């Protein structure tokens, strides 16, 4: 049963409707864009290690087919229900549109806590889920392409591609049926850190806008900014890493067992190793414990990065949030009530549906790699290096001067796969940020950046529908 009052999907619809007011599209077209096209709810039995049979509840929602394939992650979480998967699938449509990734939105979910299952049980659940998707034509490189999400990673994606390929012998593009795979199984270099790096690029771009920063009473740039990160999973870890590497000070990191604080900054890798060794983020050397994890959200800081689950900032804590900028790395970390309260305080909320698009952007690069059957950089890397070497030698002989070894190495370097992926991601996030801000600047009536992002998404999806025409 969907609970309308707390419906995440309904919250997405509310944000959509608010933004639709600033567009001139036909009402029916807007209704079509909002609707989830297909919802597949499944139940299947899996035999556990102790011989018991458990009935697993799972979903795949395809929100929009205005572009093919549909795209979106699969999450393993006890909180999974139809409403959540529908909301997340619709966010995928808008996210892809904003960053010009030519996919429709989709999302999948399996209602389990992966910690309660052995690796073998998880493998059986994942493979069975995949074969259910194959049976109903809900997966394929040109149909619907899953990826990692909360509670899943490379390992699950490897099981998915293997199951798919074995059920579809001879399908030459089978590797493109899922993204976020290990590099050895057709993955692309740079996918793992992509969401966190995209979050960093997006927030950095906003921070580089002097006018916006002045309004917040901040100086431009990310250097020296105090950052709080909630969640030390893949997205939180990499967001923290890139902010730290670019001179920000990560003063607190929160996980569900508690949070830690150090005004001089935390190193996410050391914290990660400490948590791995002790089973908890607490008692990290040199840091102060914050027993109640959510208290970390309320710390004095410049940038707050919620990188865990939805609804963590809501009507009950929003007025205590002190951050000037909130970068929504997770999907839906703020409720609409929190949005209202924080917008009144003029907090700049950099919205989830584009800020965390780094994952799907690099998934797009992975999918292209799978369809082209060639690694990025394979054709041009040596050519570039030979050319650069030639130019450098000519310049040195013409000037009679020589560059240092370090400079030589840097200038000579031909782009490898990871360089191209990072560069494509940087370009994508900068362009998307600028497009959204331009919409916001052009229409001062638009109340916040989330609404501007929705307007951007609606315009792109509606244009695409208009170009397609409606099938009779
Ligand atoms: N799960 C990620 C997201 O929510 C990635 C999706 C993808 O790569 O398709 O954006």
């Amino acid at each position: 049963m969907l609970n309308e009052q707390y419906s995440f999907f309904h919250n997405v619809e509310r944000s959509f409707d608010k933004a639709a007011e600033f567009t001139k599209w036909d009402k029916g077209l807007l209704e079509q864009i909002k609707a989830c096209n297909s919802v597949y709810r499944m139940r299947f039995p899996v035999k556990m290690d102790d011989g018991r049979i458990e009935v697993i509840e799972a979903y795949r929602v395809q929100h929009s087919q205005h572009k093919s394939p549909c795209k979106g992650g699969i999450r393993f979480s006890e909180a999974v229900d139809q409403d959540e998967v529908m909301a997340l699938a619709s966010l995928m449509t808008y996210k892809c549109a904003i960053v010009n990734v030519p996919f429709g939105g989709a999302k999948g979910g399996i209602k389990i806590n992966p910690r309660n299952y052995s690796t073998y049980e998880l493998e059986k659940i994942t493979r069975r889920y995949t074969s259910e998707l194959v049976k109903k034509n809900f997966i394929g490189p040109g149909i619907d392409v899953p990826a990692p999400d909360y509670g899943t990673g490379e390992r699950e994606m490897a099981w998915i591609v293997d199951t798919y390929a074995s059920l579809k012998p001879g399908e030459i593009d089978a590797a493109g049926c899922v993204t976020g795979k290990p590099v050895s199984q057709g993955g692309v270099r740079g996918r793992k850190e992509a969401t966190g790096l995209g979050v960093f690029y997006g927030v950095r771009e906003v921070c580089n806008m002097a006018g916006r920063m002045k309004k917040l009473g901040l100086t431009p740039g990310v250097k020296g900014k105090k950052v709080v990160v909630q969640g030390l999973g893949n997205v939180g870890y990499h967001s923290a890493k890139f902010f730290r590497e670019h001179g920000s000070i990560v003063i607190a990191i929160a996980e569900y067992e508690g949070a830690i604080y150090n005004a001089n900054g935390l190193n996410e890798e050391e914290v990660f190793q400490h948590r791995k060794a002790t089973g908890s983020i607490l008692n990290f050397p040199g840091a102060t414990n914050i027993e109640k994890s959510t208290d970390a959200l309320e710390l004095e800081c410049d940038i707050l990065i919620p990188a865990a689950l939805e609804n963590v900032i809501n009507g009950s804590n929003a007025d205590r949030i002190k951050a000037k900028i909130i970068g929504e790395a997770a999907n839906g970390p703020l409720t609409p009530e929190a949005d209202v309260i924080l917008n009144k305080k003029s907090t700049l909320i950099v919205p989830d549906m584009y800020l965390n698009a780094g994952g799907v952007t690099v998934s797009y690069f992975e999918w292209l790699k799978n369809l082209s059957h060639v690694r990025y950089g394979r054709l041009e890397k040596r050519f570039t290096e030979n050319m650069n070497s030639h130019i450098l030698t000519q310049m040195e002989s013409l000037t009679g001067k020589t560059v240092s070894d370090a400079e030589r190495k840097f200038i000579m370097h031909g782009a490898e796969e990871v360089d191209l992926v990072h560069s494509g991601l940087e370009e994508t996030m900068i362009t998307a940020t600028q497009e959204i801000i331009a919409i916001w600047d052009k229409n001062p009536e638009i109340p916040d950046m989330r609404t501007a992002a929705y307007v951007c998404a609606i315009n792109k999806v509606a244009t695409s529908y208009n170009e397609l025409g409606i099938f009779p």
Side-chain angles (χ1 to χ4, degrees), residues 267-293:
N267 178 305
E268 71 298 327
E269 175 57 21
E270 289 169 11
V271 176
F272 180 81
Q273 290 306 334
H274 165 81
R275 188 168 186 244
K276 204 168 147 193
T278 67
S280 169
I281 199 169
L282 296 168
N283 303 320
F284 180 70
T288 314
N289 284 344
I290 301 173
E291 300 290 338
K292 195 170 159 230
S293 174

Side-chain angles (χ1 to χ4, degrees), residues 71-73 92 95 107 145 147-149 179 191 331 356 359-360 363:
K71 190 87 188 76
M92 286 307 302
K95 186 186 304 194
K107 203 78 167 196
V145 181
D149 199 83
T179 58
R191 175 64 182 81
N331 286 307
N356 66 27
V360 74
S363 275

